[in-house]
Amino acid sequence: EAAVTQSPRSKVAVTGGKVTLSCHQTNNHDYMYWYRQDTGHGLRLIHYSYVADSTEKGDIPDGYKASRPSQENFSLILELASLSQTAVYFCASSDGDSQNTLYFGAGTRLSVL
Amino acid sequence: GDSVTQTEGPVTVSESESLIINCTYSATSIAYPNLFWYVRYPGEGLQLLLKVITAGQKGSSRGFEATYNKETTSFHLQKASVQESDSAVYYCALGDLAGSFNKLTFGAGTRLAVCP
């Protein structure tokens, strides 16, 4: 069974603080992704990675950094959290073929106050 | 850019009733889009419900069906008789068949509540 685990599941952060969201996959997948979802909107791609030690910008990368230290782990870093980054964040993994399924984690609800 | 529009939720139906969740798409940058339905059950991550790669084809899973209609740019999700366990959030998405990875464009999701 494919598994993507996110931590924490929820977090409250202060404006200007640093936030790190973690993702771990046991699928042996090359590709990993970070999406965010705002209420009433679809998921939007922030960063993705297709190999360890390399990350790529998605559609909305501003204000976010990503880190892929190993095939299994992919972190999303908010160096200076802002109110506008309050959202639900989803991590996902896939084999990389465009027809292949994405496997998602359960999400992290981030509230920036 | 590419976009997906789906039925705004929440949608409430009674058990054993029929269901349709509308999904229309605009694929301005993708010549041959894949179409997907993902579902998110409470406390879980999104999981693939069904996908269709070829226009005119129908996908089905767990009693749900969706037909890829290129003429009307639609991919509506239907089920003849829903169960309480179908209560979840449903996401329509499109992807780039020719892309090097599965970059998906999602709709906002439709929350379905099935009443016993």
Side-chain angles (χ1 to χ4, degrees), chain A residues 36-101:
Chain A
R36 69 175 276 176
Q37 185 177 23
D38 299 279
T39 303
H41 295 275
L43 282 71
R44 292 181 291 170
L45 183 64
I46 306 171
H47 284 287
Y48 66 96
S49 168
Y50 55 86
V51 68
D53 296 321
S54 177
T55 64
E56 305 292 334
K57 294 180 179 180
D59 298 325
I60 54 165
D62 294 345
Y64 302 94
K65 292 183 180 179
S67 174
R68 183 92 181 270
S70 63
Q71 187 193 40
E72 298 81 14
N73 296 293
F74 191 38
S75 297
L76 185 68
I77 303 146
L78 290 65
E79 294 280 3
L80 294 170
S82 66
L83 294 172
S84 64
Q85 294 177 311
T86 293
V88 179
Y89 292 83
F90 292 98
C91 177
S93 73
S94 76
D95 270 344
D97 185 292
S98 62
Q99 298 186 39
N100 282 350
T101 301

